[in-house]
Amino acid sequence: LTLLSLFALSEGSFSLWWAGLFRQLFGWGAIPAAVLLGVLGLLLTFGRLKDENYSLPLDRIVGVELLFVVGLTLTHLAATTNADALRLARQELGGGFVGWGISYFLVGLIGLPPTLTLLLVLGLVAFGLILRFSLTDFAAWLIWAGDWSQQQVEALQSRGKISYPELVEAKTEQRTPKK
């Protein structure tokens, strides 16, 4: 019913009201939200028909929801400036009221650059939940990334393209304030 209303395939006072509410809440994410709700309903229905003890994977559901909310927030931040953010949500655009509310709160609390960093981290956490990336996997990946970066630095040093004293000088120059 929601998808039909969003695509304007069914016209009626309730379906128009419902589609407008969905668009105001989720903005450009209204159709993905309706699809996600439909998929969740299908998983519940057919999972229970197949096996009575079927339970949905909670970690993946939380990951998808978190990724969706991060997407709404980033969409709203990308689509507007602070001055017309609420107006954009009222026009059923951007990330809707969900994207506006979260972006308004975070930007007002910690500023734009930290908000973008936080949203990036939350997006990565969401992908980790969806892919079931554990803390052990994360630690192993960090070790691998450290080893790989060390090999790259050693390869550059062996070719004479970079030396350790140059790295120290570059770091010292960055820290020293210019007069």
Side-chain angles (χ1 to χ4, degrees), residues 82-146:
N82 257 352
D84 60 354
L86 182 57
R87 183 177 53 82
L88 193 73
R90 286 184 179 143
Q91 292 174 344
E92 303 172 355
L93 300 172
F97 281 117
V98 173
W100 168 78
I102 295 170
S103 64
Y104 181 78
F105 172 74
L106 287 176
V107 170
L109 184 66
I110 60 176
L112 183 61
T115 295
L116 294 174
T117 304
L118 176 66
L119 291 173
L120 174 69
V121 169
L122 288 174
L124 292 174
V125 167
F127 273 118
L129 287 171
I130 293 168
L131 300 174
R132 294 194 169 158
F133 198 67
S134 68
L135 290 177
T136 307
D137 296 333
F138 181 69
W141 182 82
L142 282 178
I143 291 169
W144 175 84

Side-chain angles (χ1 to χ4, degrees), residues 16-178:
L16 289 175
W17 172 80
W18 184 248
L21 176 68
F22 235 67
R23 281 192 203 100
Q24 276 196 331
L25 281 175
F26 302 115
W28 294 328
I31 292 175
V35 169
L36 287 172
L37 285 173
V39 167
L40 181 64
L42 289 173
L43 284 173
L44 280 170
T45 302
F46 290 114
R48 293 282 178 174
L49 289 175
K50 191 175 181 182
D51 179 17
E52 284 185 28
N53 296 326
Y54 177 77
S55 63
L56 291 174
L58 186 61
D59 54 345
R60 289 188 172 172
I61 291 172
V62 169
V64 168
E65 289 175 352
L66 181 60
L67 188 62
F68 180 69
V69 169
V70 165
L72 287 177
T73 307
L74 287 172
T75 301
H76 206 76
L77 285 171
T80 186
T81 61
N82 257 352
D84 60 354
L86 182 57
R87 183 177 53 82
L88 193 73
R90 286 184 179 143
Q91 292 174 344
E92 303 172 355
L93 300 172
F97 281 117
V98 173
W100 168 78
I102 295 170
S103 64
Y104 181 78
F105 172 74
L106 287 176
V107 170
L109 184 66
I110 60 176
L112 183 61
T115 295
L116 294 174
T117 304
L118 176 66
L119 291 173
L120 174 69
V121 169
L122 288 174
L124 292 174
V125 167
F127 273 118
L129 287 171
I130 293 168
L131 300 174
R132 294 194 169 158
F133 198 67
S134 68
L135 290 177
T136 307
D137 296 333
F138 181 69
W141 182 82
L142 282 178
I143 291 169
W144 175 84
D147 291 343
W148 179 83
S149 60
Q150 182 65 33
Q151 290 171 358
Q152 298 305 311
V153 169
E154 289 171 0
L156 288 172
Q157 286 175 339
S158 68
R159 287 186 246 149
K161 292 188 177 187
I162 193 169
S163 65
Y164 182 73
E166 290 175 5
L167 287 174
V168 172
E169 289 173 17
K171 286 183 182 178
T172 305
E173 288 175 9
Q174 290 175 353
R175 290 186 198 151
T176 307
K178 297 192 180 191

